[in-house]
mmCIF file of all heavy atoms in Angstrom:
data_model
loop_
_atom_site.group_PDB
_atom_site.id
_atom_site.type_symbol
_atom_site.label_atom_id
_atom_site.label_comp_id
_atom_site.label_asym_id
_atom_site.label_seq_id
_atom_site.Cartn_x
_atom_site.Cartn_y
_atom_site.Cartn_z
ATOM 1 N N ALA A 904 137.884 138.748 72.683
ATOM 2 C CA ALA A 904 136.820 139.742 72.549
ATOM 3 C C ALA A 904 136.893 140.407 71.176
ATOM 4 O O ALA A 904 135.872 140.613 70.515
ATOM 5 C CB ALA A 904 136.926 140.787 73.656
ATOM 6 N N GLY A 905 138.117 140.756 70.733
ATOM 7 C CA GLY A 905 138.262 141.375 69.415
ATOM 8 C C GLY A 905 137.907 140.423 68.299
ATOM 9 O O GLY A 905 137.271 140.800 67.313
ATOM 10 N N ALA A 906 138.286 139.161 68.461
ATOM 11 C CA ALA A 906 138.000 138.176 67.422
ATOM 12 C C ALA A 906 136.504 137.936 67.282
ATOM 13 O O ALA A 906 136.005 137.661 66.198
ATOM 14 C CB ALA A 906 138.722 136.865 67.733
ATOM 15 N N LYS A 907 135.767 138.054 68.388
ATOM 16 C CA LYS A 907 134.324 137.826 68.320
ATOM 17 C C LYS A 907 133.623 138.863 67.452
ATOM 18 O O LYS A 907 132.570 138.590 66.895
ATOM 19 C CB LYS A 907 133.725 137.842 69.731
ATOM 20 C CG LYS A 907 134.025 136.596 70.547
ATOM 21 C CD LYS A 907 133.276 136.616 71.867
ATOM 22 C CE LYS A 907 133.492 135.327 72.648
ATOM 23 N NZ LYS A 907 132.717 135.310 73.905
ATOM 24 N N SER A 908 134.177 140.057 67.372
ATOM 25 C CA SER A 908 133.567 141.111 66.565
ATOM 26 C C SER A 908 134.211 141.234 65.187
ATOM 27 O O SER A 908 133.815 142.076 64.392
ATOM 28 C CB SER A 908 133.669 142.455 67.290
ATOM 29 O OG SER A 908 135.025 142.835 67.450
ATOM 30 N N ALA A 909 135.186 140.373 64.886
ATOM 31 C CA ALA A 909 135.948 140.525 63.653
ATOM 32 C C ALA A 909 135.096 140.303 62.407
ATOM 33 O O ALA A 909 135.307 140.947 61.380
ATOM 34 C CB ALA A 909 137.141 139.561 63.649
ATOM 35 N N ALA A 910 134.126 139.388 62.477
ATOM 36 C CA ALA A 910 133.291 139.138 61.294
ATOM 37 C C ALA A 910 132.529 140.393 60.912
ATOM 38 O O ALA A 910 132.508 140.790 59.740
ATOM 39 C CB ALA A 910 132.327 137.981 61.566
ATOM 40 N N LEU A 911 131.900 141.048 61.893
ATOM 41 C CA LEU A 911 131.192 142.290 61.610
ATOM 42 C C LEU A 911 132.161 143.380 61.182
ATOM 43 O O LEU A 911 131.892 144.129 60.235
ATOM 44 C CB LEU A 911 130.400 142.731 62.848
ATOM 45 C CG LEU A 911 129.612 144.042 62.732
ATOM 46 C CD1 LEU A 911 128.646 143.996 61.563
ATOM 47 C CD2 LEU A 911 128.877 144.339 64.033
ATOM 48 N N ALA A 912 133.292 143.468 61.848
ATOM 49 C CA ALA A 912 134.283 144.484 61.505
ATOM 50 C C ALA A 912 134.763 144.343 60.071
ATOM 51 O O ALA A 912 135.053 145.342 59.398
ATOM 52 C CB ALA A 912 135.468 144.397 62.464
ATOM 53 N N SER A 913 134.832 143.113 59.565
ATOM 54 C CA SER A 913 135.374 142.890 58.218
ATOM 55 C C SER A 913 134.551 143.574 57.134
ATOM 56 O O SER A 913 135.064 143.841 56.046
ATOM 57 C CB SER A 913 135.462 141.385 57.931
ATOM 58 O OG SER A 913 134.168 140.816 57.786
ATOM 59 N N TYR A 914 133.278 143.887 57.417
ATOM 60 C CA TYR A 914 132.432 144.563 56.439
ATOM 61 C C TYR A 914 132.581 146.080 56.512
ATOM 62 O O TYR A 914 132.172 146.786 55.590
ATOM 63 C CB TYR A 914 130.962 144.171 56.650
ATOM 64 C CG TYR A 914 130.717 142.701 56.470
ATOM 65 C CD1 TYR A 914 130.657 141.846 57.571
ATOM 66 C CD2 TYR A 914 130.581 142.138 55.208
ATOM 67 C CE1 TYR A 914 130.466 140.479 57.417
ATOM 68 C CE2 TYR A 914 130.391 140.775 55.054
ATOM 69 C CZ TYR A 914 130.331 139.958 56.156
ATOM 70 O OH TYR A 914 130.148 138.603 55.987
ATOM 71 N N LEU A 915 133.174 146.580 57.590
ATOM 72 C CA LEU A 915 133.253 148.022 57.828
ATOM 73 C C LEU A 915 134.670 148.564 57.779
ATOM 74 O O LEU A 915 134.869 149.767 57.857
ATOM 75 C CB LEU A 915 132.655 148.345 59.207
ATOM 76 C CG LEU A 915 131.217 147.881 59.450
ATOM 77 C CD1 LEU A 915 130.814 148.167 60.887
ATOM 78 C CD2 LEU A 915 130.263 148.540 58.479
ATOM 79 N N LEU A 916 135.667 147.685 57.610
ATOM 80 C CA LEU A 916 137.079 148.067 57.737
ATOM 81 C C LEU A 916 137.636 148.675 56.442
ATOM 82 O O LEU A 916 138.531 148.108 55.808
ATOM 83 C CB LEU A 916 137.906 146.847 58.142
ATOM 84 C CG LEU A 916 138.312 146.769 59.612
ATOM 85 C CD1 LEU A 916 138.857 145.389 59.940
ATOM 86 C CD2 LEU A 916 139.366 147.840 59.922
ATOM 87 N N PHE A 917 137.139 149.830 56.094
ATOM 88 C CA PHE A 917 137.661 150.523 54.918
ATOM 89 C C PHE A 917 138.891 151.327 55.327
ATOM 90 O O PHE A 917 138.904 152.559 55.292
ATOM 91 C CB PHE A 917 136.582 151.434 54.331
ATOM 92 C CG PHE A 917 135.399 150.697 53.768
ATOM 93 C CD1 PHE A 917 134.282 150.460 54.551
ATOM 94 C CD2 PHE A 917 135.409 150.230 52.460
ATOM 95 C CE1 PHE A 917 133.183 149.784 54.038
ATOM 96 C CE2 PHE A 917 134.321 149.541 51.941
ATOM 97 C CZ PHE A 917 133.207 149.323 52.729
ATOM 98 N N GLU A 918 139.926 150.615 55.733
ATOM 99 C CA GLU A 918 141.173 151.228 56.173
ATOM 100 C C GLU A 918 142.347 150.550 55.462
ATOM 101 O O GLU A 918 142.281 149.363 55.134
ATOM 102 C CB GLU A 918 141.327 151.110 57.691
ATOM 103 C CG GLU A 918 140.387 152.022 58.489
ATOM 104 C CD GLU A 918 140.718 153.502 58.306
ATOM 105 O OE1 GLU A 918 141.901 153.829 58.074
ATOM 106 O OE2 GLU A 918 139.792 154.334 58.394
ATOM 107 N N PRO A 919 143.432 151.296 55.205
ATOM 108 C CA PRO A 919 144.516 150.795 54.337
ATOM 109 C C PRO A 919 145.105 149.458 54.733
ATOM 110 O O PRO A 919 145.344 148.611 53.872
ATOM 111 C CB PRO A 919 145.563 151.918 54.415
ATOM 112 C CG PRO A 919 144.781 153.138 54.741
ATOM 113 C CD PRO A 919 143.656 152.691 55.627
ATOM 114 N N GLY A 920 145.381 149.243 56.014
ATOM 115 C CA GLY A 920 146.027 147.992 56.395
ATOM 116 C C GLY A 920 145.209 146.783 55.977
ATOM 117 O O GLY A 920 145.738 145.834 55.375
ATOM 118 N N PHE A 921 143.931 146.785 56.295
ATOM 119 C CA PHE A 921 143.043 145.675 55.949
ATOM 120 C C PHE A 921 142.871 145.564 54.439
ATOM 121 O O PHE A 921 142.970 144.473 53.859
ATOM 122 C CB PHE A 921 141.693 145.902 56.634
ATOM 123 C CG PHE A 921 140.681 144.815 56.382
ATOM 124 C CD1 PHE A 921 140.905 143.514 56.827
ATOM 125 C CD2 PHE A 921 139.493 145.085 55.720
ATOM 126 C CE1 PHE A 921 139.960 142.510 56.608
ATOM 127 C CE2 PHE A 921 138.544 144.092 55.507
ATOM 128 C CZ PHE A 921 138.781 142.803 55.946
ATOM 129 N N ILE A 922 142.629 146.693 53.782
ATOM 130 C CA ILE A 922 142.404 146.692 52.338
ATOM 131 C C ILE A 922 143.619 146.165 51.593
ATOM 132 O O ILE A 922 143.509 145.320 50.693
ATOM 133 C CB ILE A 922 142.030 148.105 51.859
ATOM 134 C CG1 ILE A 922 140.602 148.439 52.310
ATOM 135 C CG2 ILE A 922 142.156 148.231 50.344
ATOM 136 C CD1 ILE A 922 140.203 149.875 52.075
ATOM 137 N N HIS A 923 144.794 146.648 51.950
ATOM 138 C CA HIS A 923 146.006 146.218 51.253
ATOM 139 C C HIS A 923 146.253 144.721 51.438
ATOM 140 O O HIS A 923 146.683 144.029 50.505
ATOM 141 C CB HIS A 923 147.214 147.015 51.744
ATOM 142 C CG HIS A 923 147.138 148.469 51.385
ATOM 143 N ND1 HIS A 923 148.132 149.378 51.709
ATOM 144 C CD2 HIS A 923 146.189 149.186 50.733
ATOM 145 C CE1 HIS A 923 147.791 150.573 51.272
ATOM 146 N NE2 HIS A 923 146.618 150.485 50.685
ATOM 147 N N GLU A 924 145.986 144.222 52.639
ATOM 148 C CA GLU A 924 146.197 142.795 52.883
ATOM 149 C C GLU A 924 145.210 141.954 52.077
ATOM 150 O O GLU A 924 145.588 140.907 51.518
ATOM 151 C CB GLU A 924 146.075 142.488 54.374
ATOM 152 C CG GLU A 924 146.529 141.085 54.730
ATOM 153 C CD GLU A 924 146.740 140.866 56.218
ATOM 154 O OE1 GLU A 924 146.742 141.845 57.001
ATOM 155 O OE2 GLU A 924 146.908 139.681 56.603
ATOM 156 N N LEU A 925 143.959 142.409 51.972
ATOM 157 C CA LEU A 925 142.984 141.665 51.167
ATOM 158 C C LEU A 925 143.333 141.705 49.684
ATOM 159 O O LEU A 925 143.191 140.701 48.979
ATOM 160 C CB LEU A 925 141.585 142.240 51.375
ATOM 161 C CG LEU A 925 140.843 141.893 52.656
ATOM 162 C CD1 LEU A 925 139.366 142.243 52.516
ATOM 163 C CD2 LEU A 925 140.979 140.424 53.003
ATOM 164 N N MET A 926 143.767 142.858 49.195
ATOM 165 C CA MET A 926 144.145 142.947 47.784
ATOM 166 C C MET A 926 145.324 142.029 47.476
ATOM 167 O O MET A 926 145.351 141.358 46.428
ATOM 168 C CB MET A 926 144.462 144.399 47.416
ATOM 169 C CG MET A 926 143.237 145.307 47.423
ATOM 170 S SD MET A 926 143.620 147.063 47.127
ATOM 171 C CE MET A 926 144.169 147.007 45.412
ATOM 172 N N ALA A 927 146.286 141.989 48.378
ATOM 173 C CA ALA A 927 147.432 141.096 48.184
ATOM 174 C C ALA A 927 146.987 139.639 48.188
ATOM 175 O O ALA A 927 147.481 138.822 47.393
ATOM 176 C CB ALA A 927 148.479 141.343 49.268
ATOM 177 N N LEU A 928 146.039 139.293 49.061
ATOM 178 C CA LEU A 928 145.532 137.925 49.105
ATOM 179 C C LEU A 928 144.799 137.584 47.808
ATOM 180 O O LEU A 928 144.973 136.488 47.261
ATOM 181 C CB LEU A 928 144.590 137.749 50.307
ATOM 182 C CG LEU A 928 143.932 136.379 50.458
ATOM 183 C CD1 LEU A 928 144.977 135.287 50.687
ATOM 184 C CD2 LEU A 928 142.911 136.398 51.592
ATOM 185 N N GLY A 929 143.967 138.504 47.312
ATOM 186 C CA GLY A 929 143.260 138.268 46.062
ATOM 187 C C GLY A 929 144.214 138.048 44.899
ATOM 188 O O GLY A 929 144.014 137.143 44.077
ATOM 189 N N HIS A 930 145.260 138.855 44.836
ATOM 190 C CA HIS A 930 146.257 138.701 43.777
ATOM 191 C C HIS A 930 146.950 137.346 43.893
ATOM 192 O O HIS A 930 147.111 136.626 42.897
ATOM 193 C CB HIS A 930 147.272 139.839 43.878
ATOM 194 C CG HIS A 930 148.287 139.857 42.780
ATOM 195 N ND1 HIS A 930 149.425 139.064 42.803
ATOM 196 C CD2 HIS A 930 148.343 140.556 41.620
ATOM 197 C CE1 HIS A 930 150.133 139.283 41.705
ATOM 198 N NE2 HIS A 930 149.499 140.189 40.971
ATOM 199 N N ALA A 931 147.348 136.983 45.104
ATOM 200 C CA ALA A 931 148.059 135.715 45.309
ATOM 201 C C ALA A 931 147.166 134.523 44.989
ATOM 202 O O ALA A 931 147.608 133.542 44.368
ATOM 203 C CB ALA A 931 148.574 135.633 46.746
ATOM 204 N N ASP A 932 145.884 134.583 45.396
ATOM 205 C CA ASP A 932 144.972 133.461 45.137
ATOM 206 C C ASP A 932 144.734 133.281 43.640
ATOM 207 O O ASP A 932 144.679 132.153 43.141
ATOM 208 C CB ASP A 932 143.641 133.690 45.856
ATOM 209 C CG ASP A 932 143.734 133.452 47.355
ATOM 210 O OD1 ASP A 932 144.736 132.856 47.793
ATOM 211 O OD2 ASP A 932 142.810 133.860 48.079
ATOM 212 N N ALA A 933 144.577 134.394 42.914
ATOM 213 C CA ALA A 933 144.372 134.291 41.470
ATOM 214 C C ALA A 933 145.620 133.743 40.786
ATOM 215 O O ALA A 933 145.525 132.904 39.873
ATOM 216 C CB ALA A 933 143.994 135.652 40.891
ATOM 217 N N MET A 934 146.796 134.186 41.213
ATOM 218 C CA MET A 934 148.034 133.693 40.616
ATOM 219 C C MET A 934 148.251 132.221 40.955
ATOM 220 O O MET A 934 148.835 131.474 40.164
ATOM 221 C CB MET A 934 149.222 134.532 41.104
ATOM 222 C CG MET A 934 149.308 135.900 40.446
ATOM 223 S SD MET A 934 149.469 135.753 38.639
ATOM 224 C CE MET A 934 149.807 137.451 38.183
ATOM 225 N N ARG A 935 147.763 131.800 42.108
ATOM 226 C CA ARG A 935 147.856 130.394 42.478
ATOM 227 C C ARG A 935 147.026 129.538 41.528
ATOM 228 O O ARG A 935 147.322 128.365 41.303
ATOM 229 C CB ARG A 935 147.395 130.205 43.924
ATOM 230 C CG ARG A 935 147.727 128.847 44.531
ATOM 231 C CD ARG A 935 147.371 128.801 45.999
ATOM 232 N NE ARG A 935 148.153 129.746 46.772
ATOM 233 C CZ ARG A 935 147.687 130.823 47.374
ATOM 234 N NH1 ARG A 935 146.394 131.099 47.293
ATOM 235 N NH2 ARG A 935 148.465 131.624 48.053
ATOM 236 N N GLN A 936 145.976 130.119 40.952
ATOM 237 C CA GLN A 936 145.133 129.430 39.973
ATOM 238 C C GLN A 936 145.492 129.836 38.546
ATOM 239 O O GLN A 936 144.660 129.772 37.648
ATOM 240 C CB GLN A 936 143.650 129.739 40.250
ATOM 241 C CG GLN A 936 143.136 129.190 41.564
ATOM 242 C CD GLN A 936 141.672 129.545 41.803
ATOM 243 O OE1 GLN A 936 141.332 130.203 42.775
ATOM 244 N NE2 GLN A 936 140.793 129.101 40.917
ATOM 245 N N ARG A 937 146.726 130.207 38.344
ATOM 246 C CA ARG A 937 147.166 130.751 37.059
ATOM 247 C C ARG A 937 146.813 129.851 35.889
ATOM 248 O O ARG A 937 146.257 130.302 34.879
ATOM 249 C CB ARG A 937 148.684 130.978 37.108
ATOM 250 C CG ARG A 937 149.296 131.478 35.802
ATOM 251 C CD ARG A 937 150.798 131.684 35.977
ATOM 252 N NE ARG A 937 151.421 132.146 34.760
ATOM 253 C CZ ARG A 937 151.820 131.364 33.771
ATOM 254 N NH1 ARG A 937 151.652 130.042 33.877
ATOM 255 N NH2 ARG A 937 152.369 131.852 32.681
ATOM 256 N N GLU A 938 147.113 128.575 36.002
ATOM 257 C CA GLU A 938 146.854 127.666 34.888
ATOM 258 C C GLU A 938 145.366 127.558 34.590
ATOM 259 O O GLU A 938 144.956 127.499 33.433
ATOM 260 C CB GLU A 938 147.451 126.284 35.185
ATOM 261 C CG GLU A 938 148.969 126.270 35.310
ATOM 262 C CD GLU A 938 149.650 126.850 34.081
ATOM 263 O OE1 GLU A 938 149.168 126.583 32.960
ATOM 264 O OE2 GLU A 938 150.648 127.577 34.245
ATOM 265 N N GLU A 939 144.548 127.545 35.647
ATOM 266 C CA GLU A 939 143.100 127.495 35.441
ATOM 267 C C GLU A 939 142.605 128.769 34.766
ATOM 268 O O GLU A 939 141.730 128.724 33.892
ATOM 269 C CB GLU A 939 142.387 127.320 36.781
ATOM 270 C CG GLU A 939 142.638 125.993 37.472
ATOM 271 C CD GLU A 939 141.977 125.966 38.840
ATOM 272 O OE1 GLU A 939 140.736 125.832 38.885
ATOM 273 O OE2 GLU A 939 142.696 126.101 39.849
ATOM 274 N N VAL A 940 143.153 129.914 35.172
ATOM 275 C CA VAL A 940 142.745 131.192 34.572
ATOM 276 C C VAL A 940 143.113 131.225 33.094
ATOM 277 O O VAL A 940 142.298 131.599 32.238
ATOM 278 C CB VAL A 940 143.392 132.373 35.326
ATOM 279 C CG1 VAL A 940 143.142 133.681 34.581
ATOM 280 C CG2 VAL A 940 142.854 132.464 36.751
ATOM 281 N N LEU A 941 144.332 130.828 32.776
ATOM 282 C CA LEU A 941 144.769 130.832 31.375
ATOM 283 C C LEU A 941 143.905 129.893 30.540
ATOM 284 O O LEU A 941 143.514 130.225 29.408
ATOM 285 C CB LEU A 941 146.246 130.426 31.284
ATOM 286 C CG LEU A 941 147.258 131.395 31.916
ATOM 287 C CD1 LEU A 941 148.667 130.823 31.812
ATOM 288 C CD2 LEU A 941 147.205 132.759 31.239
ATOM 289 N N ARG A 942 143.606 128.729 31.072
ATOM 290 C CA ARG A 942 142.766 127.765 30.356
ATOM 291 C C ARG A 942 141.353 128.314 30.178
ATOM 292 O O ARG A 942 140.742 128.158 29.120
ATOM 293 C CB ARG A 942 142.746 126.436 31.114
ATOM 294 C CG ARG A 942 142.136 125.281 30.322
ATOM 295 C CD ARG A 942 142.124 123.985 31.128
ATOM 296 N NE ARG A 942 143.384 123.770 31.827
ATOM 297 C CZ ARG A 942 143.550 123.799 33.144
ATOM 298 N NH1 ARG A 942 142.589 123.988 33.895
ATOM 299 N NH2 ARG A 942 144.698 123.598 33.713
ATOM 300 N N PHE A 943 140.834 128.964 31.213
ATOM 301 C CA PHE A 943 139.480 129.514 31.171
ATOM 302 C C PHE A 943 139.337 130.527 30.034
ATOM 303 O O PHE A 943 138.357 130.500 29.283
ATOM 304 C CB PHE A 943 139.163 130.158 32.524
ATOM 305 C CG PHE A 943 137.827 130.836 32.605
ATOM 306 C CD1 PHE A 943 136.671 130.103 32.858
ATOM 307 C CD2 PHE A 943 137.723 132.216 32.459
ATOM 308 C CE1 PHE A 943 135.441 130.746 32.960
ATOM 309 C CE2 PHE A 943 136.493 132.859 32.551
ATOM 310 C CZ PHE A 943 135.350 132.115 32.793
ATOM 311 N N PHE A 944 140.306 131.408 29.899
ATOM 312 C CA PHE A 944 140.246 132.457 28.879
ATOM 313 C C PHE A 944 140.810 132.001 27.534
ATOM 314 O O PHE A 944 140.655 132.687 26.521
ATOM 315 C CB PHE A 944 141.008 133.702 29.330
ATOM 316 C CG PHE A 944 140.302 134.509 30.396
ATOM 317 C CD1 PHE A 944 140.699 134.431 31.706
ATOM 318 C CD2 PHE A 944 139.229 135.315 30.056
ATOM 319 C CE1 PHE A 944 140.059 135.172 32.692
ATOM 320 C CE2 PHE A 944 138.577 136.057 31.032
ATOM 321 C CZ PHE A 944 138.987 135.982 32.356
ATOM 322 N N GLY A 945 141.492 130.854 27.517
ATOM 323 C CA GLY A 945 142.136 130.432 26.287
ATOM 324 C C GLY A 945 143.389 131.209 25.994
ATOM 325 O O GLY A 945 143.799 131.369 24.830
#
Side-chain angles (χ1 to χ4, degrees):
K907 286 186 176 183
S908 64
L911 179 56
S913 70
Y914 299 98
L915 304 175
L916 258 168
F917 294 93
E918 288 293 330
F921 181 64
I922 287 171
H923 294 181
E924 191 166 349
L925 283 195
M926 291 175 67
L928 178 63
H930 185 278
D932 285 346
M934 284 301 189
R935 193 174 296 112
Q936 294 179 240
R937 177 179 179 276
E938 296 305 321
E939 294 175 75
V940 171
L941 294 177
R942 192 181 316 112
F943 177 82
F944 286 103

